[in-house]
Every structure is written in C-alpha cells, then in structure tokens.
C-alpha cells in the first residue's frame, strides 16, 4: 500500500526508506562477496570500504568518521547477529538435523537482525547526512534498484 501526499505523489519518506533499505541490502550482499574475497577483516568494515569506494575522498572520510563514532551504539547488536548466524550454521551442520532447534536459531537470528538494523540504520542516516549531495547521489546510483510491480 502506498500513501500519497496532498499533490498525489508518494510520500518522501517512502523514498528515503527505500534508499536506506537498498543501501543496507547492497551492504549485506557486498559483504558476502567481500567476505569470500578479502579474508578475515570484519564483514561490516569490508562492506563500508566497498560503499565508500564510490565516494570522493572528503565524503568517504566523513562517512567513515560518523560510523566509527557511532560504532559503540551498534557493535553489540552486530556481535549478537554474528552469534545468531553462527548458531544457524551449527544447527545446519549438526550430524542429526533438528528442525525445531533450527527454527529457534532462525527466530533468534531474525530478532538479532531487527535489533541490528534498528541500531545501525540510525548511524547510517547520520553518516549519510554528512555527505554532499553528489555523495548521496553516488550511493543512490550504486545501489541496485528494483522496479515496483504495479
């Protein structure tokens, strides 16, 4: 369901929300790619390196600075997410598959994901607020876009 403003156009917050979600999904997919390619560096740091490679030096530094400053606010959520993912892996690799335990691990991961997205998105919004209009445009252009099925 799309909500429209008084002029009949979709509300601006839907666009902003879509942009944030697309950037986050790019980061997740990019993180998976980079994890296999770049070894043991933390996934989030590799994703941020990839994302900031699309920015000019000044915007990239501003973006990284905010995320480093905000790291204490989302670091625990990131650790909890990694632990929840490790538990899913442990369940899937167990000699005897236990669907109940696997579902419970997936539920734990989903809850950890929601907490991480909630805390990290605040830092991401703050970091994007420090970018120039050209920097924000570069991030938008780098994100994959799906056309809505209308």
């Amino acid at each position: 369901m799309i909500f429209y403003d008084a002029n009949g156009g979709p509300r601006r917050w839907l666009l902003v929300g879509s942009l944030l979600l697309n950037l986050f999904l790019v980061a997740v997919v990019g993180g998976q790619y980079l994890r296999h390619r770049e070894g043991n560096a933390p996934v989030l740091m590799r994703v941020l390196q990839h994302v900031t490679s699309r920015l000019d030096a000044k915007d990239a530094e501003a973006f990284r600075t905010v995320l480093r400053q905000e790291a204490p606010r989302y670091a625990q959520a990131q650790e909890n997410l990694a632990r929840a993912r490790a538990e899913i892996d442990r369940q899937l690799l167990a000699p005897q598959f236990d669907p109940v335990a696997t579902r419970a691990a997936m539920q734990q991961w989903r809850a950890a994901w929601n907490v991480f997205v909630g805390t990290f998105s605040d830092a991401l919004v703050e970091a994007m607020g420090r970018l120039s209009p050209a920097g924000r445009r570069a991030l938008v252009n780098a994100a994959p876009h799906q056309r809505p099925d209308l």
Side-chain angles (χ1 to χ4, degrees), residues 25-39 43-44 46-47 85 109 113:
L25 292 175
V26 165
V28 170
V29 170
Q32 293 301 315
Y33 169 74
L34 292 172
R35 179 175 64 164
H36 295 291
R37 202 172 136 235
E38 295 184 5
V43 172
L44 184 59
R46 291 188 311 246
V47 169
R85 175 56 203 219
W109 178 85
W113 172 264

Side-chain angles (χ1 to χ4, degrees), residues 17 19 25 28 31 74 82 122:
L19 171 64
L25 292 175
V28 170
Y74 61 81
D122 291 340

Side-chain angles (χ1 to χ4, degrees), residues 41-123:
V43 172
L44 184 59
M45 297 316 297
R46 291 188 311 246
V47 169
L48 294 176
Q49 288 170 350
H50 178 71
V51 167
T52 56
S53 72
R54 309 271 190 200
L55 302 172
D56 68 25
K58 184 178 177 184
D59 277 339
E61 184 55 34
F63 193 83
R64 280 190 221 104
T65 298
V66 170
L67 291 181
R68 275 193 296 266
Q69 290 170 345
E70 295 291 319
R73 294 186 182 165
Y74 61 81
Q76 185 62 51
Q78 182 182 6
E79 289 175 26
N80 293 342
L81 182 60
R83 276 194 290 278
R85 175 56 203 219
E87 179 59 21
I88 290 173
D89 291 347
R90 193 178 78 70
Q91 290 299 323
L92 294 175
L93 296 172
Q96 291 288 9
F97 181 72
D98 182 349
V100 172
T102 302
R103 282 188 189 98
M106 289 181 162
Q107 178 63 34
Q108 237 181 343
W109 178 85
R110 189 176 321 130
W113 172 264
N114 288 338
V115 170
F116 173 73
V117 169
T119 57
F120 182 71
S121 65
D122 291 340

